[in-house]
Amino acid sequence: MDVVMESVQLVTLVNSVVIPICLFLIMMGMGLTLVVNDFKRVLKYPKAVGIGLTNQLILLPIIGFALASIMPLRPEYAVGVMLLVLCPGGTTSNLFTYLAKGDVALSVTMTAIASIITVFTIPVVLSYSLVHFMGAGSAFELPVAKTMVTLIALTILPISVGMLIKRFAPRVADSSQVLVSRFGVIFLTFLVVFLGYVQRDIIVDAFIATGPVSLLLNISTMALGYYSSKWLGLNLAQRTSITLEVGLQNSTLSIFMALTLLKNYDMSMMPAIYTLVMFFTAGILVKIFSKKYSNQQVLQNRMASSTL
């Protein structure tokens, strides 16, 4: 009995204390990379930012809703899909963009703007999704105003704190950026392992149920990001950023909402399993884009040499 009580207390501690604190630190880490001029990039490069945000904030939720409606998913897993697509970007996408030699400034700008906008879109769209997939009058209701306040406290506030540190203590911010990005990936991995342990009785069934839709969602959104930016004339670095921004979601925030706001572990399984998929595909894309970038540099050097 004592062991059971200790397990319950541990789970409660992780859900109510550890996850919110770590999410705050991760979002503050994003702020450490930002200055006010980053937001002016919307005006300086409206085409690239516009294409990226359209993919993230409009097309991504539409694709997610379509897949959640079409695929044979339990209602809880369908809501999990919506949790994912309503939380685009995150520090993970910024890190992978850096590794893939993409436009990191564009990636950070998209993540920051999307994080601010989704504070207001998540509660509304998620509330509708709960009614649509779980049924009207279900036990799962989302208080819109309270959710907005919570998201502001865990996104806009820490980002602002990080920007203040960047403004008044730039050396501290610069030396902390890489550590915070790595911490975000490590903590997300911890969350996936934690959920796998807590849900160990259903983990295999959950993977079978949500694995195909996770892979389909990931590949389709990454393809959308790449080809839409390619067809609209963006360069390779910008295409890389948008591809990864659209395909890599803020799983930490998704899991937080499932566990803390909705208090439902089943809804968190979709973000957890999607995390495994997106890490795998992102690793492949890092190699592909890095090779493309290297080949492009070699070609440019040859052309430059031939003109001398």
Side-chain angles (χ1 to χ4, degrees):
M1 186 67 176
D2 290 340
V3 174
V4 174
M5 286 297 295
E6 288 177 1
S7 298
V8 172
Q9 290 174 354
L10 176 61
V11 169
T12 302
L13 177 66
V14 171
N15 292 349
S16 60
V17 179
V18 176
I19 295 178
I21 290 176
C22 290
L23 181 58
F24 186 97
L25 292 175
I26 290 168
M27 298 308 291
M28 186 178 72
M30 184 192 303
L32 293 175
T33 67
L34 290 170
V35 294
V36 175
N37 285 337
D38 288 322
F39 293 95
K40 295 180 181 178
R41 194 172 285 109
V42 178
L43 301 177
K44 191 173 181 180
Y45 303 104
K47 183 178 179 181
V49 176
I51 292 170
L53 291 178
T54 298
N55 275 294
Q56 282 186 303
L57 301 177
I58 299 176
L59 299 180
L60 176 60
I62 290 175
I63 292 174
F65 183 79
L67 289 175
S69 301
I70 294 171
M71 299 291 283
L73 295 172
R74 287 175 50 194
E76 291 85 357
Y77 295 155
V79 172
V81 174
M82 297 308 298
L83 284 170
L84 262 174
V85 298
L86 292 175
C87 301
T91 55
T92 303
S93 60
N94 304 152
L95 177 61
F96 276 99
T97 296
Y98 168 77
L99 295 175
K101 296 181 172 61
D103 188 334
V104 178
L106 173 61
S107 177
V108 170
T109 299
M110 287 173 55
T111 300
I113 294 175
S115 297
I116 294 171
I117 293 175
T118 52
V119 164
F120 306 100
T121 59
I122 287 173
V124 176
V125 180
L126 183 57
S127 181
Y128 168 78
S129 300
L130 286 168
V131 173
H132 180 80
F133 292 110
M134 303 298 295
S138 70
F140 300 101
E141 295 183 359
L142 192 71
V144 174
K146 181 180 177 182
T147 302
M148 283 186 182
V149 172
T150 301
L151 291 176
I152 289 172
L154 290 174
T155 54
I156 295 179
L157 178 59
I159 288 174
S160 300
V161 171
M163 289 183 68
L164 287 173
I165 295 174
K166 176 73 171 177
R167 171 68 177 82
F168 295 104
R171 291 184 178 179
V172 174
D174 293 341
S175 62
S176 304
Q177 287 176 15
V178 175
L179 293 176
V180 175
S181 295
R182 290 176 179 173
F183 170 75
V185 174
I186 292 171
F187 180 69
L188 181 53
T189 304
F190 159 77
L191 269 185
V192 173
V193 173
F194 170 74
L195 288 172
Y197 172 75
V198 174
Q199 296 286 80
R200 58 190 178 278
D201 293 338
I202 67 164
I203 185 65
V204 174
D205 292 336
F207 191 87
I208 293 173
T210 64
V213 69
S214 295
L215 184 61
L216 185 57
L217 175 64
N218 183 251
I219 291 176
S220 63
T221 53
M222 282 184 167
L224 171 68
Y226 181 80
Y227 286 107
S228 64
S229 54
K230 180 180 181 180
W231 293 334
L232 292 171
L234 299 186
N235 61 42
L236 177 60
Q238 292 170 330
R239 296 201 301 267
T240 301
S241 299
I242 292 176
T243 300
L244 292 169
E245 278 289 324
V246 180
L248 298 178
Q249 313 312 327
N250 192 342
S251 301
T252 306
L253 181 58
S254 302
I255 293 171
F256 163 78
M257 289 194 294
L259 298 182
T260 305
L261 298 181
L262 296 172
K263 295 179 173 56
N264 186 279
Y265 272 88
D266 288 348
M267 292 178 185
S268 70
M269 294 309 295
M270 177 69 198
I273 291 170
Y274 185 87
T275 298
L276 300 176
V277 173
M278 76 179 190
F279 278 173
F280 176 74
T281 57
I284 294 175
L285 284 182
V286 164
K287 292 184 178 181
I288 293 174
F289 283 129
S290 296
K291 186 175 181 179
K292 278 180 174 287
Y293 180 81
S294 298
N295 292 340
Q296 186 182 73
Q297 289 295 104
V298 170
L299 181 61
Q300 289 176 350
N301 291 338
R302 287 178 179 174
M303 292 178 65
S305 298
S306 65
T307 59
L308 295 178

